[in-house]
Amino acid sequence: MLTIREIQVKTIAFFTEKGVPNPKLDTDLLIAEVLGLKRLDLYLDNDRPLTELQLNQLRSLVKRRANREPLQYILGYSEFCGIRLKVTPVTLIPRQETEELVEHLRNRIVTEPGTILDLGTGCGALAIALAKLYPRARVTATDQCPEAIVLAQENAAKFIPENSIQFKKGSWFNCVDKGSRFDLIVSNPPYLSDDEMQSAEPEVAEHEPRHALVGGEDGLSDIRQILAQAPNYLSPDGLLALETGIEQEAGLKELAENAGLESEGGADMSGRPRFFFCRV
């Protein structure tokens, strides 16, 4: 019977051969998942043998990861802002950069917003994080994918009071009531160009939903719609906050100016221009 240590060595080597990023971390997390343990516990008992049933379960998961299926889809969850969200291939996997957007908002917003709109909510990550951060706010979250809405509702039910978020099916502002005004509008819209998608890692290009990643030939088709319509929905002192591509700031500033918005870029932890903020 193979022990945890022996399986770690074999799996790390296999993942390395297949070009899997972070082979050691992924190996540990998959073994821990099969055994129902925390990652640290593996190293406290790494001479423990696995049963044949456990080995078969692990082999199935390892094969999926070797085929570059994202680890989060295999595990069925992703950590985001201190909570564990259920994720499935119908939505994007929440990223570290989107957590950074929440932190930017925490630092920028002085007066707690009374109304918040999350456009393209996916699994509900931004809407839920902001509902927890601003518990008195009325939060609305939209998505054009009905399966995403169901998933976001399931996640919301675990972490925030019932009816804290109103979910609506539709594309961007199309399902938002006319005349509605929001103190904060957030979105992580599709912003990859067609060329960028061609060179993306297999985890992204082959497994995550293309419609949530690619914003047309230049990556800006969805952002154009958001910036053009945002002035109709922002409160007088409201803030629009977007996660965007790192090469898009010049084009975004022009689009914002054409929409009558004052704009400012924001950097991610690597110093890249990842975020875009607008006011009327």
Side-chain angles (χ1 to χ4, degrees):
M1 298 177 70
L2 293 172
T3 66
I4 290 174
R5 180 189 290 110
E6 291 169 328
I7 293 167
Q8 285 173 318
V9 171
K10 290 176 179 293
T11 306
I12 290 169
F14 181 57
F15 280 166
T16 300
E17 177 188 339
K18 294 295 184 179
V20 173
N22 304 310
K24 186 176 188 300
L25 174 63
D26 288 11
T27 293
D28 286 355
L29 291 175
L30 290 176
I31 296 173
E33 178 71 14
V34 167
L35 297 180
L37 300 174
K38 295 180 179 178
R39 185 189 180 198
L40 178 62
D41 294 335
L42 300 180
Y43 293 89
L44 300 176
D45 191 19
N46 58 11
D47 288 323
R48 169 179 171 176
L50 271 69
T51 67
E52 192 61 33
L53 176 60
Q54 290 168 336
L55 278 172
N56 287 335
Q57 292 173 334
L58 181 61
R59 288 188 187 106
S60 175
L61 302 185
V62 167
K63 182 179 180 180
R64 290 170 64 185
R65 188 67 189 104
N67 289 331
R68 305 297 292 273
E69 183 177 348
L71 180 69
Q72 294 88 340
Y73 289 157
I74 297 171
L75 297 176
Y77 66 83
S78 180
E79 303 289 344
F80 184 82
C81 291
I83 57 178
R84 178 171 288 188
L85 296 170
K86 180 180 178 179
V87 292
T88 74
V90 303
T91 70
L92 290 182
I93 297 164
R95 304 300 208 267
Q96 171 65 35
E97 290 85 355
T98 312
E99 287 191 355
E100 292 176 32
L101 177 58
V102 175
E103 192 60 31
H104 270 275
L105 294 173
R106 188 197 304 268
N107 294 331
R108 284 173 175 268
I109 295 175
V110 178
T111 303
E112 181 171 338
T115 51
I116 299 173
L117 173 63
D118 176 21
L119 297 170
T121 195
C123 69
L126 274 173
I128 294 167
L130 293 171
K132 288 175 66 67
L133 184 60
Y134 304 114
R136 290 188 293 272
R138 300 191 306 277
V139 181
T140 302
T142 74
D143 204 288
Q144 65 178 349
C145 173
E147 294 85 1
I149 292 290
V150 171
L151 178 60
Q153 288 174 321
E154 182 179 345
N155 279 324
K158 296 177 184 176
F159 300 109
I160 56 176
E162 188 177 2
N163 300 322
S164 294
I165 302 175
Q166 181 183 20
F167 291 96
K168 294 191 173 187
K169 178 184 173 299
S171 177
W172 308 129
F173 292 101
N174 293 346
C175 58
V176 180
D177 295 337
K178 301 298 182 183
S180 297
R181 296 284 174 172
F182 298 90
D183 301 325
L184 174 61
I185 301 175
V186 298
S187 185
N188 177 18
Y191 57 73
L192 294 181
S193 67
D194 288 332
D195 287 344
E196 288 171 326
M197 189 61 173
Q198 292 294 327
S199 60
E201 291 292 326
E203 285 85 351
V204 175
E206 298 174 12
H207 295 279
E208 293 195 81
R210 181 182 175 87
H211 70 269
L213 289 160
V214 180
E217 184 177 354
D218 63 356
L220 291 172
S221 60
D222 293 284
I223 295 176
R224 283 191 185 91
Q225 297 180 50
I226 293 172
L227 290 174
Q229 297 181 57
N232 299 323
Y233 295 91
L234 275 172
S235 300
D237 295 320
L239 176 67
L240 169 66
L242 304 173
E243 181 179 331
T244 62
I246 59 175
E247 303 292 339
Q248 295 176 334
E249 188 168 318
L252 294 171
K253 285 186 175 294
E254 182 177 351
L255 291 171
E257 184 177 352
N258 292 341
L261 293 165
E262 297 181 359
S263 65
E264 178 185 7
D268 61 20
M269 291 185 67
S270 301
R272 300 171 298 180
R274 174 68 64 186
F275 311 110
F276 197 65
F277 304 96
C278 299
R279 295 186 185 274
V280 289

